[in-house]
Amino acid sequence: MQPTMMYPGMTPQMPPQAITVFPVDPYVVETLRSVTGKWVLIETTRGHVDGCVVDCKPDHVILENRRSKFFVRISEIVWIMPE
């Protein structure tokens, strides 16, 4: 039997827990930040959405279209086309 790996703040009685990791794509984030305030078409794994880029965070982008806001996960983006 192998010894259990210990993480900071973990006691020997605590069972190991899964750590969720969300990859950050710095090139996509930088591209989206460069078109803030502009209209874009974004193709995702579930279809496309278009709107004005309001803000971009490391894990999602916020688009606004006709007073509705859309929060799109960066990891779901296939391509981006500025209009």
Side-chain angles (χ1 to χ4, degrees), residues 1-45:
M1 186 163 115
Q2 295 181 351
T4 304
M5 291 180 67
M6 297 295 292
Y7 297 99
M10 195 172 157
T11 62
Q13 294 80 24
M14 292 176 61
Q17 298 196 7
I19 299 172
T20 304
V21 177
F22 297 101
V24 175
D25 191 336
Y27 293 106
V28 174
V29 172
E30 185 58 36
T31 297
L32 288 165
R33 287 185 177 158
S34 74
V35 293
T36 299
K38 297 181 181 168
W39 201 269
V40 296
L41 175 63
I42 295 178
E43 182 71 27
T44 71
T45 58

Side-chain angles (χ1 to χ4, degrees), residues 19-73:
I19 299 172
T20 304
V21 177
F22 297 101
V24 175
D25 191 336
Y27 293 106
V28 174
V29 172
E30 185 58 36
T31 297
L32 288 165
R33 287 185 177 158
S34 74
V35 293
T36 299
K38 297 181 181 168
W39 201 269
V40 296
L41 175 63
I42 295 178
E43 182 71 27
T44 71
T45 58
R46 301 210 28 151
H48 66 273
V49 62
D50 62 335
C52 181
V53 177
V54 176
D55 195 10
C56 183
K57 305 294 183 193
D59 64 333
H60 70 278
V61 61
I62 304 169
L63 299 179
E64 187 170 7
N65 186 344
R66 291 179 232 162
R67 291 189 239 160
S68 294
K69 290 190 178 175
F70 299 92
F71 297 79
V72 181
R73 291 178 58 192

